[in-house]
Amino acid sequence: MADTEGESHGYTPMDYDADSEADEVYQRCLSYLFAHAPIEPDDVVLDIGTGTGIVALELASKCGHVLGRDIFDEWLQYAREKAAQRGVENVSFDHGSFREPNVEEPVDVVVASYALYMAYDEGGENELRAAIDGLASLNPRCIAVADKMRFGPVESSSEYETLPRMGTVANCLVDAGFTLTDVEIITESVGVLIATR
């Protein structure tokens, strides 16, 4: 097997699934997303930054088709295997990024969970804005962000990651033509934003 970034650091997709299942904040964040994202039975949903397909596989029962997109091939393969094991047929996984989601069909809803903050961490507000603009270019009626962001007072910078302020994420969504219709604060650094147009 080829040495991928995930393998070279020793953190596997199975590790991620186990950590996610044990992370109460993550589970609360996703529960809110699943309950409140305006997803209809015939919708096509893009799960950008799908990782191991946790969100995509959950959303498959709520909509017509889920497109899982990520930049890590090992994680995409693992997500495909999970879908096959579970008999979920209305999900497809492929390579894609925020700026280039690799989507040819119309998308009704975009979901980004625990992935969008990485754009900010890597390139600040300009990269976050470019990521949201890339998703908005697909013309979805809704973008739902369940992610790490600062809801509370600004704390000193983490050595591990830099999180955007909630207001920064909200402004980028508004500037891309969306209206913030729902905000749920899970902790001072995790929450859900739902933006529609």
Short mmCIF file of all heavy atoms in Angstrom, two decimals, residues 45-48 50 56 66-70 76 91-95:
data_model
loop_
_atom_site.label_atom_id
_atom_site.label_comp_id
_atom_site.label_asym_id
_atom_site.label_seq_id
_atom_site.Cartn_x
_atom_site.Cartn_y
_atom_site.Cartn_z
N VAL A 45 -26.97 16.39 -1.76
CA VAL A 45 -26.19 17.04 -0.71
C VAL A 45 -24.71 16.81 -0.96
O VAL A 45 -24.29 15.67 -1.18
CB VAL A 45 -26.59 16.51 0.68
CG1 VAL A 45 -25.74 17.15 1.77
CG2 VAL A 45 -28.06 16.75 0.95
N LEU A 46 -23.94 17.87 -0.90
CA LEU A 46 -22.48 17.77 -0.97
C LEU A 46 -21.93 17.80 0.44
O LEU A 46 -22.15 18.78 1.17
CB LEU A 46 -21.90 18.92 -1.79
CG LEU A 46 -20.37 19.07 -1.73
CD1 LEU A 46 -19.67 17.84 -2.31
CD2 LEU A 46 -19.94 20.34 -2.46
N ASP A 47 -21.23 16.75 0.84
CA ASP A 47 -20.52 16.71 2.12
C ASP A 47 -19.05 16.96 1.81
O ASP A 47 -18.32 16.05 1.43
CB ASP A 47 -20.72 15.36 2.80
CG ASP A 47 -19.95 15.22 4.11
OD1 ASP A 47 -19.61 16.26 4.72
OD2 ASP A 47 -19.66 14.07 4.50
N ILE A 48 -18.64 18.22 1.94
CA ILE A 48 -17.28 18.61 1.58
C ILE A 48 -16.36 18.39 2.78
O ILE A 48 -16.73 18.72 3.90
CB ILE A 48 -17.23 20.07 1.07
CG1 ILE A 48 -15.90 20.39 0.42
CG2 ILE A 48 -17.61 21.05 2.14
CD1 ILE A 48 -15.70 19.79 -0.95
N THR A 50 -15.41 15.27 3.56
CA THR A 50 -16.16 14.13 4.10
C THR A 50 -15.34 13.22 5.00
O THR A 50 -15.90 12.52 5.85
CB THR A 50 -16.81 13.33 2.96
OG1 THR A 50 -17.79 12.46 3.50
CG2 THR A 50 -15.78 12.54 2.16
N ALA A 56 -21.78 11.93 5.62
CA ALA A 56 -22.39 11.50 4.36
C ALA A 56 -23.28 10.27 4.56
O ALA A 56 -24.40 10.21 4.06
CB ALA A 56 -21.31 11.21 3.32
N VAL A 66 -25.94 11.73 -1.78
CA VAL A 66 -24.89 12.47 -1.09
C VAL A 66 -23.59 12.32 -1.87
O VAL A 66 -23.21 11.20 -2.25
CB VAL A 66 -24.66 11.98 0.36
CG1 VAL A 66 -23.59 12.82 1.04
CG2 VAL A 66 -25.95 12.03 1.16
N LEU A 67 -22.95 13.44 -2.12
CA LEU A 67 -21.64 13.47 -2.77
C LEU A 67 -20.61 13.76 -1.69
O LEU A 67 -20.57 14.86 -1.16
CB LEU A 67 -21.59 14.57 -3.83
CG LEU A 67 -22.72 14.57 -4.86
CD1 LEU A 67 -22.71 15.86 -5.66
CD2 LEU A 67 -22.61 13.35 -5.76
N GLY A 68 -19.80 12.79 -1.33
CA GLY A 68 -18.74 12.99 -0.35
C GLY A 68 -17.46 13.36 -1.07
O GLY A 68 -17.02 12.64 -1.98
N ARG A 69 -16.87 14.49 -0.69
CA ARG A 69 -15.64 14.95 -1.34
C ARG A 69 -14.57 15.22 -0.29
O ARG A 69 -14.85 15.80 0.75
CB ARG A 69 -15.88 16.22 -2.16
CG ARG A 69 -16.85 16.05 -3.31
CD ARG A 69 -16.26 15.13 -4.39
NE ARG A 69 -17.10 15.01 -5.55
CZ ARG A 69 -17.97 14.02 -5.76
NH1 ARG A 69 -18.13 13.07 -4.85
NH2 ARG A 69 -18.67 13.97 -6.87
N ASP A 70 -13.34 14.80 -0.60
CA ASP A 70 -12.21 15.02 0.30
C ASP A 70 -10.93 15.02 -0.53
O ASP A 70 -10.94 14.62 -1.70
CB ASP A 70 -12.16 13.92 1.37
CG ASP A 70 -11.46 14.38 2.64
OD1 ASP A 70 -10.22 14.50 2.63
OD2 ASP A 70 -12.16 14.64 3.64
N LEU A 76 -11.05 8.45 1.60
CA LEU A 76 -12.15 8.23 0.66
C LEU A 76 -12.37 6.73 0.43
O LEU A 76 -13.52 6.27 0.39
CB LEU A 76 -11.86 8.94 -0.66
CG LEU A 76 -11.97 10.45 -0.63
CD1 LEU A 76 -11.32 11.05 -1.88
CD2 LEU A 76 -13.42 10.89 -0.51
N VAL A 91 -24.74 7.16 -1.99
CA VAL A 91 -23.59 8.00 -1.62
C VAL A 91 -22.46 7.68 -2.58
O VAL A 91 -22.22 6.52 -2.91
CB VAL A 91 -23.12 7.70 -0.17
CG1 VAL A 91 -21.87 8.49 0.17
CG2 VAL A 91 -24.21 8.02 0.82
N SER A 92 -21.79 8.72 -3.05
CA SER A 92 -20.59 8.51 -3.86
C SER A 92 -19.47 9.36 -3.29
O SER A 92 -19.69 10.49 -2.85
CB SER A 92 -20.86 8.87 -5.33
OG SER A 92 -21.28 10.22 -5.44
N PHE A 93 -18.28 8.80 -3.26
CA PHE A 93 -17.11 9.47 -2.71
C PHE A 93 -16.08 9.69 -3.80
O PHE A 93 -15.80 8.79 -4.59
CB PHE A 93 -16.50 8.64 -1.57
CG PHE A 93 -17.40 8.48 -0.39
CD1 PHE A 93 -18.12 7.31 -0.20
CD2 PHE A 93 -17.54 9.50 0.54
CE1 PHE A 93 -18.97 7.16 0.89
CE2 PHE A 93 -18.39 9.36 1.63
CZ PHE A 93 -19.10 8.19 1.80
N ASP A 94 -15.52 10.90 -3.82
CA ASP A 94 -14.52 11.23 -4.83
C ASP A 94 -13.64 12.36 -4.32
O ASP A 94 -13.96 13.02 -3.32
CB ASP A 94 -15.20 11.65 -6.14
CG ASP A 94 -14.34 11.40 -7.36
OD1 ASP A 94 -13.12 11.19 -7.23
OD2 ASP A 94 -14.90 11.42 -8.47
N HIS A 95 -12.56 12.58 -5.03
CA HIS A 95 -11.63 13.64 -4.66
C HIS A 95 -12.27 15.00 -4.95
O HIS A 95 -12.94 15.18 -5.96
CB HIS A 95 -10.35 13.49 -5.49
CG HIS A 95 -9.21 14.29 -4.98
ND1 HIS A 95 -8.96 15.57 -5.37
CD2 HIS A 95 -8.26 13.99 -4.06
CE1 HIS A 95 -7.89 16.03 -4.74
NE2 HIS A 95 -7.44 15.09 -3.93
#
